[in-house]
């Protein structure tokens, strides 16, 4: 089994910072693309940032210049450094990863359980 576990969420005031982590564990052979999504109440789940194994990154326009995605391949962990947070960043943040389990030849997609980020004005 493979699990993704997010941590680092919380409540901050506008202008503050938080660092989210997503740790993948279990029977992992390899991890390909890792992605952060977020979902605000009553809204669809939106892509926040993507990171490829080699470090190539893509960001949603709404977070460019404020958020930084990174990963530590040796630790099977992805991070999201969030600076200058705004009330509109309030959402549940989910990590997603394409993983090749050690017990399968097929890539499989996994989601974490989500972590709440609340930004007050």
């Amino acid at each position: 089994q493979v699990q993704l576990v997010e941590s680092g969420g919380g409540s901050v005031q506008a202008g503050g910072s938080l660092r989210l982590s997503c740790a993948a564990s279990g029977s992992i052979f390899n991890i390909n693309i890792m992605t952060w999504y977020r979902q605000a109440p009553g809204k669809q789940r939106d892509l926040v940032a993507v990171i490829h194994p080699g470090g190539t990154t893509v960001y949603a326009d709404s977070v460019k210049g404020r958020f930084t995605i990174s990963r530590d391949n040796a630790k099977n962990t992805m991070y999201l450094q969030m600076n200058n947070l705004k009330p509109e960043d309030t959402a549940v943040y989910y990590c997603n990863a394409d993983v090749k389990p050690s017990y399968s030849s097929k890539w499989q997609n996994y989601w974490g359980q989500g972590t709440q980020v609340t930004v007050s004005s």
Side-chain angles (χ1 to χ4, degrees), residues 13 15 19 26 40 47 56 58 65 79 81-82 86 88 103 120:
Q13 290 191 328
R19 188 190 193 212
L47 185 146
T56 300
V58 178
Y79 306 96
Q81 177 66 43
M82 305 185 294
K86 303 176 180 180
E88 51 263 43
Y103 51 81
S120 59

Side-chain angles (χ1 to χ4, degrees), residues 34-113:
M34 301 185 80
T35 308
W36 284 103
Y37 288 84
R38 67 185 181 186
Q39 188 168 19
K43 296 189 176 181
Q44 67 181 18
R45 190 170 297 188
D46 292 327
L47 185 146
V48 175
V50 182
I51 186 164
H52 293 248
T56 300
T57 58
V58 178
Y59 294 93
D61 287 343
S62 60
V63 305
K64 282 180 181 177
R66 300 187 298 123
F67 291 10
T68 303
I69 189 172
S70 61
R71 63 191 286 171
D72 185 332
N73 292 329
K75 296 181 178 180
N76 290 334
T77 301
M78 171 177 65
Y79 306 96
L80 186 68
Q81 177 66 43
M82 305 185 294
N83 297 329
N84 191 22
L85 282 161
K86 303 176 180 180
E88 51 263 43
D89 295 318
T90 295
V92 178
Y93 284 70
Y94 297 91
C95 67
N96 177 277
D98 291 327
V99 179
K100 183 177 286 186
S102 57
Y103 51 81
S104 174
S105 61
K106 296 182 179 181
W107 290 92
Q108 299 181 25
N109 188 258
Y110 293 88
W111 287 92
Q113 82 289 350

